[in-house]
Amino acid sequence: MRMAEAPKGAAERLAYLLPFIASGPARFGLGDLAERAGLPQSSVHRLLKVMLRFGLVERGTGQSYRPGRELQRMASQIVSRFDLVRSARPMLQQLVDSWQETAVLCTYSPVSRKAIIADVVHTPHPLRYAVERDGEITLPWGSLGRAVLAYLPRGEQEAIIRQSNAGPLTGRPRSKRAELDAALESIRAEGVSRYYDPQIDIAGIAGPIFGPEGEILGCVGVTMPSRRYQLHLADDLASAVGKVARDLTELASMQGA
Amino acid sequence: MRMAEAPKGAAERLAYLLPFIASGPARFGLGDLAERAGLPQSSVHRLLKVMLRFGLVERGTGQSYRPGRELQRMASQIVSRFDLVRSARPMLQQLVDSWQETAVLCTYSPVSRKAIIADVVHTPHPLRYAVERDGEITLPWGSLGRAVLAYLPRGEQEAIIRQSNAGPLTGRPRSKRAELDAALESIRAEGVSRYYDPQIDIAGIAGPIFGPEGEILGCVGVTMPSRRYQLHLADDLASAVGKVARDLTELASMQGA
DNA sequence: GAGAGAATTCCGCAATCTGGAAATGTGCTT
DNA sequence: AAGCACATTTCCAGATTGCGGAATTCTCTC
């Protein structure tokens, strides 16, 4: 969907294709992949031959490819050391049980410079937002995005802010830079990101999750309509969310992450 | 550890390095990786720069690299569709509860042409074999290996048998080819692999697990000292193991695997 | 602050990659 | 069965990109 992207060089292109395969359908054709990736078929075919040899893809029935068992194996191996999603599940559930609001886990994707919704436990309330797994979250908006943005290295922050200003309008004027900086600073000060915007009727609280070397992995948070936000004891909710985030950070540091 | 392996070309080398990173330590140096992979440092460095750009690796504190968040993310995504290891866990536990013998889950790695122990639940008996996660299993021996080998395409079977004959001695003469073929045939006939060798005091029963397109993913099985094997009602055990294997196959087909 | 070891850059040669187009293969329809 | 449409695979010549030993720079350690 993005344009003006066409990595040069075999290694770059292989790395570039990997996510298309990992997140693509269980069966796909050469043409599909070439189109999705925006690369010439003959080039994709050459790379696919390499991946075939290394088990990253395999041939399916008829003329089709599928993600390879070696890829599966590697994925299991990586995840088996530390599975953030699995570790977080019961905690999300716990948050929903206690507060009756939707709990979300996001992981940060350094490449797309977005946070991706890795897991959700929905509120029992009938009024709730359509938060779905694998959804993308742009970092400068909302409690979830900002909980991540606040802890990114300065340079990356800059790039993201510039990029999302240039990006498509989101229905409201971009917040002023100074305002955003202040918000990020206060997130770092409190260790929890709060967001409350009655105009678009959304509110939330989120806490950052770090890896063993202090790099930000993602965040946990709860989101709700801003009207319901007012009914909660926000500070209690914030400390509950903060605790979950810290617990996950600790887990990530202990296990290999 | 293997020699005479040095993939030519950037794409091949990138694919070649991936598993070293995925299964390597949480922190590693350029030199480490270069040595483990048997490639010149400058080449590895060039590839690492590419991976860096794609988030497959990241810089750690000081001079070190670590597996990247993009790699984690992809792994989670792949695993979230269908996690054989997670699905199998309760079934392994169940087998151990019922039979008091060590239950094992293996996944087949097409590249190394071996099965890899993905999970184990140990028997409560004090006398048990040292079966450990991530351990490698050569296919021509044992119930586990053969449960996989029996369902591999003919060509791959040939390669594996030839390769392991040429390989290091394993303490006993290689079984005759005709004998092995007969064993594999009977495994296919029964749908379960039985192995019983009083000489080295080991026995086991294993069943194959298939993916959505009929490709073999791995196997589940129980292993034990051959003396204990005689005490069990082998047919009941075999049907229990077979059921677990079929259930996992069905799960793998329903979910995206 | 000096030294050891690691990571990074350099550079000329050439092997590997590139992509349009042609050839081959596969599955579906008549 | 035969033919058709579409997807995959091969081909090719030009040149971009990869290659790796050696020199340089950087970073921890003592």
Side-chain angles (χ1 to χ4, degrees):
Chain A
M1 298 307 154
R2 290 177 211 124
M3 32 196 332
E5 291 197 63
K8 300 287 181 201
E12 304 216 345
R13 287 182 169 189
L14 184 72
Y16 174 70
L17 284 179
L18 239 30
F20 285 98
I21 292 168
S23 71
R27 295 167 40 91
F28 59 91
L30 170 66
D32 298 333
L33 183 60
E35 193 180 6
R36 276 190 292 154
L39 293 174
Q41 290 201 3
S42 52
S43 296
V44 173
H45 179 259
R46 198 173 332 106
L47 292 169
L48 238 24
K49 260 199 303 194
V50 173
M51 296 194 198
L52 224 33
R53 184 158 51 258
F54 286 87
L56 299 178
V57 298
E58 290 174 7
R59 316 253 21 179
T61 60
Q63 43 190 29
S64 73
Y65 292 87
R66 64 162 182 246
R69 279 166 286 184
E70 197 64 22
L71 196 62
Q72 293 256 6
R73 218 186 52 71
M74 277 178 38
S76 299
Q77 205 161 50
I78 291 170
V79 164
S80 74
R81 301 196 195 183
F82 172 58
D83 189 345
L84 182 60
V85 181
R86 194 207 294 219
S87 306
R89 196 94 231 278
M91 304 190 189
L92 296 182
Q93 188 61 57
Q94 172 73 37
L95 282 174
V96 174
D97 289 346
S98 306
W99 298 90
Q100 309 284 306
E101 300 291 358
T102 300
V104 183
L105 174 75
C106 297
T107 56
Y108 174 57
S109 163
V111 174
S112 67
R113 302 196 139 140
K114 288 176 179 163
I116 296 184
I117 298 177
D119 204 3
V120 188
V121 177
H122 286 289
T123 171
H125 279 123
L127 173 61
R128 59 176 165 87
Y129 291 101
V131 181
E132 278 177 21
R133 217 159 121 169
D134 293 334
E136 289 184 346
I137 290 184
T138 49
L139 265 32
W141 290 286
S143 62
L144 293 166
R146 290 181 172 187
V148 172
L149 185 60
Y151 294 95
L152 247 23
R154 214 69 64 190
E156 220 166 335
Q157 277 183 12
E158 289 296 334
I160 289 168
I161 293 168
R162 222 174 312 113
Q163 154 184 323
S164 64
N165 280 344
L169 268 304
T170 53
R172 60 185 329 235
R174 60 182 184 160
S175 52
K176 295 199 191 65
R177 180 57 196 275
E179 209 176 291
L180 179 57
D181 276 335
L184 296 183
E185 181 51 41
S186 91
I187 290 169
R188 282 188 295 267
E190 193 189 350
V192 169
S193 158
R194 299 169 186 246
Y195 195 83
Y196 176 80
D197 189 336
Q199 283 196 272
I200 55 172
D201 191 24
I202 194 169
I205 293 181
I209 305 169
F210 301 96
E213 308 205 2
E215 78 279 15
I216 185 138
L217 294 183
C219 66
V220 262
V222 294
T223 47
M224 66 206 88
S226 55
R227 275 172 307 166
R228 285 213 299 268
Y229 181 75
Q230 302 170 307
L231 303 177
H232 289 300
L233 297 171
D235 285 338
D236 288 352
L237 178 52
S239 81
V241 169
K243 172 119 180 30
V244 168
R246 282 191 302 279
D247 286 349
L248 285 170
T249 294
E250 192 180 355
L251 272 180
S253 304
M254 290 200 314
Q255 308 176 50
Chain B
M1 294 309 159
R2 289 182 210 118
M3 34 197 330
E5 289 197 64
K8 301 288 181 197
E12 304 216 345
R13 287 181 171 192
L14 185 71
Y16 174 70
L17 282 180
L18 241 29
F20 285 98
I21 291 167
S23 70
R27 294 167 40 92
F28 60 90
L30 170 66
D32 298 332
L33 183 60
E35 192 181 7
R36 275 190 293 153
L39 293 174
Q41 290 201 4
S42 52
S43 297
V44 172
H45 180 259
R46 198 173 330 107
L47 292 169
L48 237 26
K49 262 199 300 195
V50 173
M51 296 195 199
L52 224 33
R53 185 158 50 257
F54 285 87
L56 299 178
V57 297
E58 291 174 7
R59 316 255 18 181
T61 60
Q63 42 192 27
S64 73
Y65 292 88
R66 67 173 129 89
R69 279 166 286 185
E70 196 64 23
L71 196 62
Q72 294 255 7
R73 219 186 52 71
M74 279 177 35
S76 298
Q77 206 163 50
I78 292 170
V79 163
S80 74
R81 302 196 193 181
F82 173 58
D83 189 345
L84 182 59
V85 180
R86 193 205 295 220
S87 306
R89 195 96 232 278
M91 304 190 189
L92 294 183
Q93 188 61 58
Q94 173 73 39
L95 282 174
V96 175
D97 289 346
S98 306
W99 297 91
Q100 310 284 305
E101 300 292 357
T102 300
V104 183
L105 173 74
C106 297
T107 57
Y108 174 56
S109 163
V111 174
S112 67
R113 302 200 139 136
K114 288 178 177 162
I116 295 184
I117 298 176
D119 205 4
V120 188
V121 177
H122 285 289
T123 172
H125 279 123
L127 174 61
R128 59 178 165 86
Y129 291 102
V131 181
E132 279 177 22
R133 219 159 121 172
D134 294 335
E136 290 185 344
I137 291 185
T138 48
L139 266 34
W141 289 285
S143 61
L144 294 165
R146 289 182 172 187
V148 172
L149 185 60
Y151 294 95
L152 248 21
R154 213 71 61 190
E156 221 166 335
Q157 277 182 14
E158 289 295 336
I160 288 167
I161 293 168
R162 222 173 311 113
Q163 155 185 321
S164 64
N165 279 343
L169 268 303
T170 53
R172 61 184 328 236
R174 59 181 187 164
S175 53
K176 294 202 191 64
R177 179 58 197 275
E179 208 176 291
L180 179 57
D181 276 335
L184 296 183
E185 181 51 41
S186 92
I187 290 170
R188 281 187 297 266
E190 192 190 352
V192 168
S193 158
R194 300 171 188 242
Y195 195 84
Y196 175 81
D197 189 336
Q199 283 196 271
I200 54 171
D201 191 24
I202 195 169
I205 292 182
I209 304 169
F210 302 96
E213 308 204 359
E215 78 278 15
I216 185 138
L217 295 183
C219 65
V220 263
V222 294
T223 47
M224 67 207 89
S226 54
R227 273 173 306 166
R228 286 214 297 268
Y229 182 76
Q230 302 170 308
L231 304 176
H232 289 299
L233 296 171
D235 285 338
D236 289 351
L237 178 52
S239 81
V241 170
K243 171 120 180 32
V244 169
R246 282 190 302 277
D247 287 349
L248 284 170
T249 293
E250 192 180 354
L251 272 181
S253 304
M254 291 201 311
Q255 309 177 50

